[in-house]
Amino acid sequence: MTRQRAAVSEALDRLDDFRSAQQIHDVMRQGGDTIGLATVYRTLQALADHGDVDVLRTEDGESHYRRCERDEHHHHLVCRGCGRTIEIDGPTVESWANTVGAAHGFTGIEHTIELFGTCADCAAAAAARAGD
Amino acid sequence: MTRQRAAVSEALDRLDDFRSAQQIHDVMRQGGDTIGLATVYRTLQALADHGDVDVLRTEDGESHYRRCERDEHHHHLVCRGCGRTIEIDGPTVESWANTVGAAHGFTGIEHTIELFGTCADCAAAAAARAGD
DNA sequence: GGGCTAATTGATAATGAATGTCAAAACCGT
DNA sequence: ACGGTTTTGACATTCATTATCAATTAGCCC
Ligand SMILES: [Zn+2]
Ligand SMILES: [Zn+2]
Ligand SMILES: [Zn+2]
Ligand SMILES: [Zn+2]
């Protein structure tokens, strides 16, 4: 464990939503940390491999990282407006994925499931903006 | 409708699995078509916007395109070995996505669902390779 | 602590998919 | 065929991510 890895881990604890490696690097620099961008990339990937952070591929192909509350397998409901993220588990979809995979003779099924929408706050803000 | 767009559409008809824009461009060139890479990118994106082709973001961030049999909303079960793709519909997951989104006050729910696995042929090939 | 070796760091260069540029070519209604 | 509009495509550019590799650091034994 190095000073830099500990710093990335702490930064992730402070941040709530999914952030790109570059955003995390910026935040750390702003907070006084001395760390290189390459190290942030490497550390985040290592954390992701170990399952310590979750990765979300954004619509434009960037990888965003987030330390999640629960360690168990789960999915995400992300607000398109503010990025607020809610952790979701769906026992039904888990078994559905395996069942439908097996039905077609596939083994070693993995799945990618993410939900996107507009949260109540952002919807209210949009309505206020339209109504003034 | 231009000669190039028609050619891309025909190429997509001939190809079965998800291919990248560059792979499609290569195949077309090999087949004697004269077309620029930028045009292939533009055409594929336009087709994707119109819902005429499906897009799959691969693990390394590339966009792969495929003309699907059915026009209606559906998802994919993709073999990690050979790329064979099966179209899936899951009424349960569709309603699940909307329900869980609404339960958290989210509106305008969209979802990303993809299944990956090893098809029976690829599993058999792997077993034969291990057992010789 | 001091020294030693292997792992890590980080400034920089390199990669590569995707997009922007813009003059030339193709399209289409007349 | 003609002229205005759209499309094309070779090329340059962007930008996230990865590779490089000398300098630094961590971990460990004495
Ligand atoms: Zn929001
Ligand atoms: Zn799941
Ligand atoms: Zn297969
Ligand atoms: Zn669906």
Side-chain angles (χ1 to χ4, degrees):
Chain A
M1 179 58 57
T2 66
R3 168 179 62 79
Q4 288 88 339
R5 294 185 190 172
V8 170
S9 202
E10 283 174 33
L12 284 167
D13 286 335
R14 273 192 299 276
L15 286 120
D16 268 357
D17 306 323
F18 281 96
R19 294 277 127 96
S20 73
Q22 313 220 33
Q23 288 175 324
I24 293 170
H25 179 244
D26 288 346
V27 169
M28 295 180 69
R29 281 281 175 98
Q30 233 94 67
D33 279 323
T34 298
I35 187 171
L37 180 57
T39 304
V40 174
Y41 270 103
R42 279 189 293 245
T43 305
L44 288 172
Q45 250 146 16
L47 288 171
D49 288 345
H50 282 249
D52 294 328
V53 299
D54 284 11
V55 188
L56 185 61
R57 291 305 259 274
T58 64
E59 197 168 355
D60 53 339
E62 276 181 76
S63 291
H64 285 221
Y65 302 86
R66 176 183 196 258
R67 156 149 302 136
C68 281
E69 311 258 331
R70 62 182 94 173
D71 281 350
E72 320 92 56
H73 172 86
H74 64 271
H75 300 280
H76 302 105
L77 168 60
V78 185
C79 174
R80 270 188 297 264
C82 62
R84 184 143 67 110
T85 300
I86 292 172
E87 301 176 20
I88 299 179
D89 50 9
T92 35
V93 292
E94 304 300 326
S95 59
W96 168 83
N98 290 331
T99 302
V100 70
H104 291 89
F106 278 58
T107 51
I109 305 290
E110 293 185 7
H111 58 266
T112 303
I113 301 178
E114 304 291 349
L115 304 184
F116 301 92
T118 305
C119 77
D121 290 351
C122 285
R129 207 176 317 126
D132 60 10
Chain B
M1 180 61 56
T2 65
R3 169 179 63 81
Q4 289 87 340
R5 293 184 191 173
V8 170
S9 203
E10 283 174 33
L12 284 167
D13 286 335
R14 275 193 298 276
L15 269 53
D16 269 358
D17 307 323
F18 281 96
R19 303 283 150 177
S20 73
Q22 313 221 27
Q23 288 174 325
I24 293 170
H25 179 244
D26 288 347
V27 169
M28 295 181 68
R29 281 281 175 98
Q30 233 94 67
D33 280 323
T34 299
I35 188 170
L37 180 58
T39 304
V40 174
Y41 269 104
R42 277 189 295 245
T43 305
L44 288 172
Q45 251 145 16
L47 288 171
D49 288 345
H50 282 248
D52 294 328
V53 300
D54 285 10
V55 189
L56 185 61
R57 289 308 254 279
T58 63
E59 197 169 355
D60 52 339
E62 275 181 77
S63 291
H64 285 222
Y65 301 87
R66 176 183 197 258
R67 154 146 307 133
C68 280
E69 312 259 331
R70 61 182 96 174
D71 282 349
E72 319 92 56
H73 172 86
H74 63 270
H75 300 280
H76 302 105
L77 169 59
V78 184
C79 175
R80 270 188 297 264
C82 63
R84 184 142 68 108
T85 300
I86 293 172
E87 300 175 20
I88 299 178
D89 49 9
T92 36
V93 293
E94 304 299 328
S95 60
W96 168 81
N98 289 332
T99 302
V100 70
H104 291 88
F106 279 57
T107 51
I109 305 289
E110 293 185 6
H111 58 267
T112 302
I113 301 180
E114 304 291 349
L115 271 48
F116 302 92
T118 305
C119 77
D121 290 351
C122 285
R129 208 177 315 124
D132 59 10

